[in-house]
Amino acid sequence: MFNSKLKETLYNLCITATLLLSATGFSFFFHLVTQNVANVTILYILALVLIARFTTHYWPGIVASLVGVVCVNFLFTYPYYELNFSLKGYPLTFMGMLTIALITSTTTSHMKTQSRIIHEREKLLLEAEKEKMRANLLRAVSHDLRTPLTSIIGASSTYLEHEARLKPNEQLDLVQHIHEDAHWLLNMVENLLSVTRIHNNSTTVTKSLEPVEEVLSEAIFRLKKRIPDASITVKVPDELLMIPMDAMLIEQVLINLLENAIIHAHSTQPIECTVDHDTDSAIFHVRDYGIGINSEHIDHLFDGTYSLNTSSPDSKKGFGIGLSICQTIIVAHNGTLWVTPNAIGTTFSFKLPKEA
């Protein structure tokens, strides 16, 4: 506490001394050129306003007003280098400068207080939002990990306990289910690791300029290693489009959206992945021609709680966690993520600003 107050006092002294010395130096120059005390007074009043603005207490402004009046009287008023407190108008000049100091100091003090209150409120809201996001992610992870783990344990137990009585095709089927669930768990871990790339103490990421075409190409390459028969059409701008981003995180967003479209949407046509741009941002679209999403579910898509309500074997793996992570990543890039229901299928889109 003592050290912080000492640092604050030294800071105020440095600001006050620097601005008063600067005002005095410029005053000597103008006094030599114009011999006009009014110009000198204006310079000291300007220094007074700046001191009140950039210091943190009332006393620097009051001290500056006293020093300014004395300097004007002693250095720039005839007879020079003599204090003459009987000069006509001197009390008015002193009171004027003191009033300016007090008003400016009071105003800036209130502005700084309000700014601090707003900053603290925004910080609390941000922390609440982050806590809500953590709770949603934890709830979604707990739900989504339990089902494939149970399936792996059940299939492996069946294989180990009844291997002798299982036909070769039944054994292969069990191993295939274990393989698929293990890959799904690996994808989940990759998603969670992606979130850890976002700084723990903020909602920002480290960005660098990346070519959109290469990021999209890498995302599709990684996806096809997992789903070799995925059918995807791609359309990107003809010109080179460089966007500030964390490439690995944006690749993970694209992989999540494409995988959802391929596995969960049951699209009857190839998935369309397109990129366009406007003056301020690049916009990515992932469109499927599948079963679509009910409009009443759209508000819950990105909070980690959404899951498909179908009889498909894949419905056991709700994709709410993946969309929640996508939302977290895009928000950390100062972008937006949204969904558009179509007559056939759904389009997921996200926007990234061109400027960091």
Side-chain angles (χ1 to χ4, degrees):
M1 180 65 73
F2 176 77
N3 287 336
S4 62
K5 287 185 177 180
L6 179 60
K7 288 180 180 179
E8 186 179 35
T9 301
L10 290 175
Y11 169 81
N12 289 334
L13 284 173
C14 289
I15 292 293
T16 303
T18 300
L19 289 173
L20 285 175
L21 287 173
S22 299
T24 303
F26 282 111
S27 295
F28 272 114
F29 172 76
F30 281 108
H31 186 64
L32 289 174
V33 174
T34 65
Q35 297 289 320
N36 191 337
V37 180
N39 292 334
V40 174
T41 305
I42 290 173
L43 283 172
Y44 276 102
I45 290 175
L46 176 60
L48 190 60
V49 171
L50 293 175
I51 288 169
R53 168 64 181 84
F54 291 107
T55 55
T56 56
H57 292 288
Y58 294 103
W59 66 262
I62 296 172
V63 170
S65 65
L66 293 172
V67 173
V69 171
V70 171
C71 286
V72 171
N73 185 285
F74 184 76
L75 298 175
F76 305 106
T77 304
Y78 187 84
Y80 302 120
Y81 306 111
E82 291 183 14
L83 288 175
N84 187 351
F85 295 104
S86 62
L87 288 174
K88 183 179 181 180
Y90 181 83
L92 182 62
T93 302
F94 171 75
M95 292 303 299
M97 294 184 71
L98 183 60
T99 302
I100 290 172
L102 290 174
I103 291 174
T104 309
S105 297
T106 302
T107 302
T108 55
S109 178
H110 282 304
M111 290 175 62
K112 290 173 185 176
T113 301
Q114 290 296 322
S115 177
R116 185 173 65 255
I117 292 172
I118 292 172
H119 176 72
E120 290 175 354
R121 186 176 301 168
E122 289 178 348
K123 186 177 179 181
L124 288 174
L125 289 173
L126 181 61
E127 287 298 324
E129 187 64 27
K130 287 172 66 178
E131 191 59 37
K132 180 181 177 182
M133 180 189 71
R134 291 190 192 100
N136 286 337
L137 286 175
L138 181 60
R139 182 170 59 252
V141 168
S142 300
H143 175 270
D144 281 7
L145 290 181
R146 187 185 302 116
T147 301
L149 283 172
T150 302
S151 176
I152 289 173
I153 293 171
S156 59
S157 296
T158 300
Y159 186 91
L160 291 172
E161 293 173 6
H162 306 286
E163 178 183 4
R165 288 179 288 176
L166 292 174
K167 297 177 182 179
N169 62 322
E170 292 175 332
Q171 294 179 356
L172 182 61
D173 189 51
L174 287 172
V175 173
Q176 182 67 30
H177 281 305
I178 294 173
H179 180 77
E180 290 174 357
D181 285 331
H183 270 283
W184 188 88
L185 286 173
L186 178 62
N187 183 40
M188 174 68 72
V189 171
E190 288 176 353
N191 270 308
L192 297 177
L193 288 176
S194 294
V195 174
T196 64
R197 289 175 61 83
I198 300 175
H199 300 317
N200 291 328
N201 59 349
S202 69
T203 55
T204 60
V205 292
T206 302
K207 305 176 189 175
S208 60
L209 282 175
E210 301 287 349
V212 166
E213 187 174 354
E214 288 187 12
V215 172
L216 182 56
S217 175
E218 180 63 22
I220 293 175
F221 174 77
R222 289 172 56 190
L223 178 69
K224 287 211 168 189
K225 289 174 66 177
R226 187 179 304 150
I227 311 174
D229 58 346
S231 180
I232 304 170
T233 61
V234 178
K235 182 180 179 181
V236 296
D238 294 331
E239 67 270 27
L240 180 64
L241 187 59
M242 303 288 290
I243 300 295
M245 66 174 82
D246 184 313
M248 289 188 65
L249 291 179
I250 298 303
E251 286 171 17
Q252 192 62 48
V253 170
L254 289 166
I255 290 170
N256 286 353
L257 296 179
L258 288 168
E259 185 176 42
N260 286 342
I262 293 166
I263 295 177
H264 298 291
H266 306 289
S267 184
T268 58
Q269 299 181 36
I271 306 303
E272 295 178 359
C273 186
T274 61
V275 181
D276 53 45
H277 65 103
D278 54 26
T279 305
D280 302 317
S281 55
I283 305 101
F284 297 73
H285 306 279
V286 175
R287 176 173 183 178
D288 65 70
Y289 294 85
I291 59 177
I293 298 173
N294 292 332
S295 57
E296 61 266 23
H297 294 153
I298 289 178
D299 292 339
H300 303 287
L301 279 177
F302 305 115
D303 61 9
T305 62
Y306 180 78
S307 61
L308 292 171
N309 186 20
T310 73
S311 58
S312 166
D314 292 321
S315 65
K316 68 182 180 180
K317 301 167 186 174
F319 57 86
I321 180 64
L323 291 178
S324 177
I325 289 171
C326 290
Q327 173 83 325
T328 301
I329 292 172
I330 297 303
V331 169
H333 281 79
N334 298 319
T336 52
L337 172 66
W338 69 96
V339 59
T340 306
N342 302 318
I344 301 176
T346 308
T347 301
F348 283 88
S349 307
F350 64 90
K351 180 185 294 187
L352 297 178
K354 288 183 177 179
E355 299 295 332

